[in-house]
Amino acid sequence: MSRSARPLTSARVRHKIKELTTPSADSNYVVNRNPRNLERLRIGYKPTGYHLEKPGRSYWHTLEINTSGRYVSADVKHFENGTILSASTSEWAIKQQLYKTNDTPAFVNLGRVLAQRCLQAGITEMTCNVTAVPGSKLEKLLKAVQENGVSFQEPARLPLTHPWDAFRHEKPWEVTEQQISTQTAAKK
């Protein structure tokens, strides 16, 4: 039997699909493996919610903190996919390093762990609708998260521009020569 006249088998079909979908080395084919890339570029969908809702739903990621009699947990939630990452003093690795699981050092260390996990996941900005009393344990947790590199203010979504608009917003993925010259001057 000739090669082209062989009957189709599942192995041949899988091989042909793999051959067609695998990018070659010389093509300019880019695979986006980050589903939140559009949010990082500020062009992804951001819900607005209803104007009567409080605290509102205009966020991509938000921080929720739950305290119980024994443990403290902090979750980062996506508006669409739910909980993305979490940290809790009930986790064995964190609990073993703490004297108590709900005192002030536990809150501070939970903030550090949560910030480290956020940075590892690529989340550098989120909203936080939690209001803390000055000097409280909750305020120290929020301060520890901010000190370790996570901002509690998300950038605004880029507004839709039309070809007939007189003013166009600067796109965050474009780098101008003026920005490069100011960055090099700041380094010197």
Side-chain angles (χ1 to χ4, degrees), residues 5-6 17 43 58 69 79 84 90 99 101 107 115 148 160 175 181 183:
R6 287 191 305 184
I17 290 172
I43 57 177
S58 183
F79 77 94
I84 295 174
S90 65
Y99 181 71
T101 56
F107 274 78
N148 286 293
L160 180 63
V175 179
S181 63
Q183 288 175 355

Side-chain angles (χ1 to χ4, degrees), residues 43 59 71 75-76 90 112 115 127 140 147 155:
I43 57 177
Y59 61 82
Y71 301 111
D75 302 325
V76 176
S90 65
R112 290 178 187 159
T127 60
K140 293 180 180 174
E147 286 175 351

